Amino acid sequence: MASSSTTKFLFSSTFPTSKSSESSTTKASLFSFLRSTSTIPISQKLSHSHNSRHNSVSPIKNVLKTATESSETSFSKYPDVDLVSNESKPTILVSEKLGSAGIELLKGFGDVDCSYDLSPEQLCERISKCDALIVRSGTKVTREVFEAAKGRLKVVGRAGVGIDNVDLQAATEYGCLVVNAPTANTVAAAEHGIALLAAMARNRNATFYCNKRLMENGFPGKWQRNKYVGVSMVGKTLAVMGFGKVGSEVARRAKGLGMNVIAHDPYAPADRARAIGVELVSFEQAISTADFISLHMPLTPTTSKVFNDDTFAMMKKGVRIVNVARGGVIDEDALVRALDTGIVAQAALDVFTEEPPPTDSKLILHENVTVTPHLGASTKEAQEGVAIEIAEAVVGALKGELSATAVNAPMVPAEVLSELAPYVVLAEKLGRLAVQLVAGGSGIKSVKVTYRSARDPDDLDTRLLRAMITKGIIEPISSSFVNLVNADFTAKQKGLRISEERVVVDANPEYPVDSIQVQISNVDSKFASAVSENGEVSIEGKVKFGKPHLTCLGSFGVDVSLEGNLILCRQVDQPGMIGKVGNILGQENVNVSFMSVGRTVRRNKAIMAIGVDEEPNKDALKKIGEVPAVEEFVFLKL
C-alpha cells in the first residue's frame, strides 16, 4: 500500500522537464510556485493541552497573529488567475529586443511573446498571463507590475548587468526571482569605456564639430588645430570607481596603455587588484589624485548622485570623467557646473539619469561633453552573448534550478543543492508537522532549529533548510506563498523569529545532516505528547534511505515515515491497539500504509503512528477517539 504526499516543496519545478528529471523525486529544483492544496488538520479528543504557561486551548487560526486566511486553503491565493498546469508550457514575455539566439532558446522551452514598447499600463495588463519577463534597461518593472502579476510571475530576467529598473524589494516580497546577465557584455562595456577615454583625451567631441563645419562650409583656409589639442594618457592616473567585472577589465586595458591605475571598491579583494597591478584606495584618495575617473558602480541608494558638488570640489582641476555605468550616480546639474568652472575638463557619458535625455539638456549640449546613446553592450558578439546568458538563466529558473546570476536569492552551489535535496524535503515536512501540533493562543513567535551533523558547523549551509522550515510553518495557516526568495522576508513580516543552532555529533560525515530538530516555545499544544520536558513543542527528524522520517516527538522516540497523512495516538501500552484502530479505518475504507509504535516504558504509555492514504472522515476519527485506551490523538496532513 503506497502512501501519497500532497506536499509541494521548494525544489519542485512547475513545468515539465526531461523524463529523467521527472523520475527523480529528490532532484534539487528551486521553487514550489504553486501553493499546496492541503488544509489545516483537525484534532480530536484533547484530554488536556500542555503549555509552559497556560492550559487553555485556542483556535488554530491564531497561530500566527498576522495570518489573514482561515484554515481552508485554496489551490491559489488568486483564484481569478489561470495558473499554469504541469503539462502546459510557460509563457515568457520579452518586452525589449533580444538576440535571435536567445529567442530560439526560449522558444524551445516555452511560449514566447515578443511585445516591444509596451506602456506601463499595457505591461501590467499582460503580466498576469506570464510566467517570466525579460527586459533590458528601458522597461521599468515596478511594484505595480508584480501586483498585477497576481502571483504568477516567477522570474524576471534583466538582459544586462544593472537591475535598477527592477523593484527588487517588491520582487522579493512576491517570491519572484530576478536574474541578470553580468558576464556576456563585460568586454564590450570595457572596450567602450576605453574608447570613450581615448576619445575624450583627444577631444573627439570637439573634432566632430570641427569636421561637421568643414563638411558644411568647406575648408575655410585654416583648421584651428591648436584649439583641439588633446592630452596623453600615458603616465596619467586613472581611478576606476567600482572594481567588478567591467571595472577590472577597464583597468587591464588602461594598464596596457601605460596608465597608472588605482581603484576604489569596498567589496573588491585586494589580492585580485594586486594581481593586475592595481592599488585599492579610499573613495576620497581615488577622486582627489586621479587625472581620469572611470565609473563602474551600480546605482543604489548609497551611490545615487554620489558625484555631486561636494565630490567634484575634491577633484583635481581639469579631471576627465567617463561614465559607462549608470547615469544616476552623477548629479548632472552639478556636473554642468563643474564643467563650466573647469574643475572637470571633459566628460564622456554613455548613460544618463533620464534615457534618452531631453534634447535641450545643458549637459548633452555642452561643448566639453562626449556622449553615446547607451552603447556599452552594443556589439554583435555581446548582444548574442547576453541573449543566450539571460535565456539560459530564465529557462533554468522556470525549471526550478538555482541561477548563479540570481540577484535576490542566496547563491547555493550545485553540489550543495544536490546533497541537501532529501533534507530540504525533511525540513518542510517538519515545519508543516510542527505548526499542526500547535493549538494557537498568542501565536507562534519563536522557533528554534537545531541541526546535528558530524561536520564542522561552518561547513553546513542551512539557508535552504531554514527557508523550507519557514515555508512549512507559514503556508498551512496563511495565504502567504513562501519560497527561497522571500522566506526570510515573510518570516519577519509575520513576526516569526527563527534561530538556528549547529551541533557537532558523532555521526557519518558522509551525510551533511544527521538530524533536524524544530522547537516552538510559548505556545499551546493540541497534542500534549509533542511537548518536551522544557515545555516546548518539539519534533525531530532524519533522512533514512532517502526519505524523511520523524524520529522524536516530545520525549517519545518514534520512527515514522513522513509521507501522506498521519494519525498520532497517545495510548495505554497494551495488546490489540493496532488491530482496533486498524479495523476502524478499514471499516471506513481508509487505506493504511504503515503503523508504528514508540514508547517510553513497557506497559506504560505509547505513541502509535498510523500512515493513511486518505483523509479519514469525521465518523472514523470519532470512533478512534472512543477507544478507551486512546488518551488523545491528532490527524496531520503532510
Side-chain angles (χ1 to χ4, degrees):
M1 292 174 288
S3 63
S4 62
S5 174
T6 60
T7 303
K8 299 263 188 183
F9 49 90
L10 187 71
F11 288 145
S12 62
S13 172
T14 307
F15 305 105
T17 55
S18 64
K19 289 183 179 179
S20 60
S21 64
E22 289 174 342
S23 63
S24 173
T25 57
T26 59
K27 178 176 174 61
S29 311
L30 178 58
F31 298 111
S32 165
F33 293 121
L34 304 182
R35 287 186 52 81
S36 170
T37 59
S38 62
T39 58
I40 293 300
I42 61 172
S43 62
Q44 304 289 333
K45 197 174 181 178
L46 292 176
S47 56
H48 62 276
S49 176
H50 191 90
N51 183 295
S52 58
R53 301 170 303 137
H54 306 294
N55 285 326
S56 61
V57 182
S58 301
I60 186 71
K61 66 180 180 181
N62 292 323
V63 171
L64 287 178
K65 275 189 173 181
T66 54
T68 57
E69 189 174 304
S70 68
S71 62
E72 296 297 321
T73 45
S74 62
F75 184 74
S76 169
K77 62 187 285 188
Y78 300 107
D80 57 324
V81 177
D82 293 328
L83 293 176
V84 177
S85 70
N86 286 348
E87 289 73 29
S88 62
K89 288 185 175 182
T91 298
I92 304 167
L93 174 61
V94 181
S95 67
E96 296 178 69
K97 189 171 178 57
L98 194 68
S100 58
I103 295 294
E104 289 305 310
L105 195 155
L106 293 170
K107 286 181 177 178
F109 182 74
D111 295 325
V112 180
D113 176 7
C114 294
S115 296
Y116 307 146
D117 300 320
L118 294 175
S119 68
E121 294 76 20
Q122 290 172 323
L123 178 60
C124 288
E125 184 179 342
R126 274 178 199 247
I127 203 65
S128 65
K129 299 179 179 64
C130 301
D131 304 286
L133 170 65
I134 296 180
V135 303
R136 298 190 73 87
S137 60
T139 302
K140 306 300 181 185
V141 190
T142 62
R143 177 174 291 275
E144 289 72 26
V145 173
F146 292 105
E147 290 173 351
K150 299 181 179 178
R152 177 163 171 174
L153 186 64
K154 299 161 187 64
V155 56
V156 172
R158 163 67 168 96
V161 182
I163 39 81
D164 46 280
N165 56 318
V166 180
D167 190 329
L168 281 182
Q169 179 65 29
T172 299
E173 291 177 25
Y174 282 86
C176 181
L177 185 69
V178 178
V179 296
N180 65 351
T183 60
N185 62 1
T186 297
V187 170
E191 289 176 346
H192 194 59
I194 291 294
L196 287 178
L197 198 71
M200 181 174 56
R202 300 307 299 267
N203 284 302
R204 181 67 187 86
N205 192 48
T207 54
F208 168 78
Y209 287 114
C210 179
N211 182 64
K212 184 179 179 182
R213 285 194 294 272
L214 287 173
M215 297 294 290
E216 290 174 349
N217 305 319
F219 293 95
K222 59 180 181 177
W223 287 5
Q224 296 181 302
R225 294 171 61 190
N226 293 337
K227 187 176 181 179
Y228 304 116
V229 173
V231 295
S232 177
M233 297 163 64
V234 174
K236 299 295 181 8
T237 297
L238 170 68
V240 177
M241 309 301 288
F243 201 68
K245 292 182 177 65
V246 177
S248 58
E249 290 299 324
V250 167
R252 290 177 194 276
R253 286 157 176 76
K255 292 286 291 183
L257 293 172
M259 301 187 79
N260 170 46
V261 182
I262 58 177
H264 170 73
D265 190 322
Y267 307 107
D271 56 348
R272 183 163 65 86
R274 283 195 298 269
I276 56 177
V278 174
E279 180 187 3
L280 289 177
V281 299
S282 68
F283 181 88
E284 291 76 11
Q285 183 179 349
I287 65 173
S288 62
T289 59
D291 302 297
F292 293 81
I293 299 175
S294 188
L295 309 186
H296 304 283
M297 56 185 62
L299 177 60
T300 68
T302 302
T303 62
S304 178
K305 295 187 177 181
V306 67
F307 292 94
N308 50 45
D309 287 318
D310 293 336
T311 48
F312 287 134
M314 298 170 62
M315 297 177 185
K316 274 185 175 182
K317 187 176 179 63
V319 68
R320 288 167 169 82
I321 298 176
V322 173
N323 187 12
V324 294
R326 285 290 173 267
V329 301
I330 295 178
D331 181 335
E332 293 179 350
D333 292 335
L335 177 56
V336 171
R337 289 190 287 270
L339 286 162
D340 288 341
T341 60
I343 293 177
V344 176
Q346 291 176 297
L349 309 173
D350 186 49
V351 289
F352 308 91
T353 302
E354 180 184 347
E355 295 185 358
T359 55
D360 59 349
S361 166
K362 291 182 179 179
L363 183 63
I364 302 302
L365 297 175
H366 203 288
E367 64 177 350
N368 292 330
V369 174
T370 301
V371 298
T372 52
H374 205 147
L375 298 178
S378 293
T379 65
K380 291 181 179 179
E381 295 83 358
Q383 291 295 297
E384 287 300 299
V386 166
I388 292 171
E389 185 176 8
I390 198 61
E392 289 177 341
V394 167
V395 168
L398 289 174
K399 286 181 178 178
E401 300 167 0
L402 271 176
S403 170
T405 63
V407 294
N408 66 334
M411 292 300 97
V412 182
E415 60 272 16
V416 174
L417 207 61
S418 177
E419 187 178 50
L420 287 180
Y423 302 93
V424 164
V425 181
L426 171 65
E428 184 185 357
K429 298 274 191 179
L430 290 176
R432 191 171 292 272
L433 176 60
V435 76
Q436 293 177 73
L437 291 169
V438 173
S442 60
I444 295 177
K445 291 297 179 186
S446 178
V447 176
K448 180 181 179 181
V449 182
T450 303
Y451 309 97
R452 292 179 172 83
S453 172
R455 299 182 183 179
D456 187 285
D458 292 337
D459 295 334
L460 182 60
D461 188 337
T462 62
R463 292 172 297 178
L464 287 176
L465 303 179
R466 183 179 69 244
M468 292 310 300
I469 291 169
T470 303
K471 177 183 178 70
I473 290 174
I474 292 178
E475 279 199 349
I477 55 172
S478 80
S479 60
S480 297
F481 157 80
V482 182
N483 62 20
L484 180 60
V485 173
N486 66 354
D488 289 341
F489 170 83
T490 305
K492 183 177 180 181
Q493 188 183 49
K494 301 288 186 185
L496 176 62
R497 180 178 178 271
I498 299 182
S499 61
E500 297 177 292
E501 182 181 7
R502 298 168 179 81
V503 178
V504 178
V505 295
D506 185 13
N508 189 345
E510 179 183 350
Y511 303 108
V513 179
D514 179 63
S515 69
I516 301 175
Q517 182 184 33
V518 177
Q519 296 171 293
I520 304 177
S521 57
N522 300 319
V523 293
D524 298 323
S525 173
K526 64 168 64 174
F527 190 68
S529 302
V531 178
S532 63
E533 294 178 355
N534 60 6
E536 297 174 331
V537 171
S538 178
I539 59 174
E540 188 170 344
K542 294 186 175 186
V543 171
K544 294 186 176 183
F545 309 107
K547 301 292 184 181
H549 280 68
L550 178 67
T551 57
C552 190
L553 179 73
S555 58
F556 288 85
V558 296
D559 187 5
V560 179
S561 176
L562 293 177
E563 295 184 283
N565 304 316
L566 192 63
I567 300 173
L568 295 177
C569 301
R570 186 182 69 189
Q571 63 183 56
V572 176
D573 187 18
Q574 65 183 39
M577 290 301 299
I578 291 178
K580 288 179 182 179
V581 176
N583 285 335
I584 292 172
L585 294 171
Q587 291 169 6
E588 298 294 335
N589 199 31
V590 176
N591 194 41
V592 175
S593 57
F594 67 84
M595 280 189 175
S596 66
V597 177
R599 58 188 181 183
T600 53
V601 180
R602 182 187 296 182
R603 297 282 180 166
N604 191 354
K605 305 294 182 184
I607 295 292
M608 178 167 57
I610 308 159
V612 292
D613 290 344
E614 299 84 19
E615 180 174 349
N617 59 37
K618 291 183 179 180
D619 288 339
L621 294 172
K622 181 180 179 182
K623 289 177 182 178
I624 292 174
E626 290 172 349
V627 175
V630 174
E631 296 180 341
E632 64 171 347
F633 76 96
V634 62
F635 172 72
L636 306 167
K637 198 163 189 176
L638 300 177

